[in-house]
Amino acid sequence: MPGLLIKDFPEELHRRLELRALANHRSLTREALAILEGGLQDRAGAPSLAEVDRLRVKGRVPLTDALLDIAREDGRP
């Protein structure tokens, strides 16, 4: 498996990574990989309804194609 060496890693950034890894019960390596994976996800296309629904305020009605159709019929883009 390939490795990665980061030179001149700022101490403050390292401290923040340690704290985040601790909070997420991960090693530094696993936390760095999780951050990289999240940052490198392809966001070129439109998000799926499931992705949009995860970002919505909880407690509301789940976002569905039918709900979007109703909004469009009411004149909302």
Side-chain angles (χ1 to χ4, degrees):
M1 178 177 273
L4 174 66
L5 171 66
I6 301 175
K7 295 182 180 182
D8 302 319
F9 198 82
E11 287 184 37
E12 174 60 20
L13 188 58
H14 187 269
R15 187 186 69 75
R16 289 170 44 206
L17 181 62
E18 281 182 317
L19 291 173
R20 183 170 165 163
L22 184 63
N24 290 321
H25 307 285
R26 295 183 183 136
S27 68
L28 283 174
T29 300
R30 292 282 181 201
E31 188 64 29
L33 286 173
I35 292 168
L36 285 169
E37 286 174 352
L40 295 174
Q41 286 181 353
D42 182 13
R43 303 243 188 244
S48 68
L49 288 178
E51 290 173 312
V52 172
D53 200 40
R54 277 197 320 270
L55 297 173
R56 295 176 72 224
V57 176
K58 294 303 174 194
R60 298 213 176 155
V61 179
L63 190 59
T64 63
D65 285 316
L67 187 60
L68 290 175
D69 290 339
I70 292 169
R72 286 186 191 110
E73 289 171 7
D74 288 343
R76 296 183 65 188

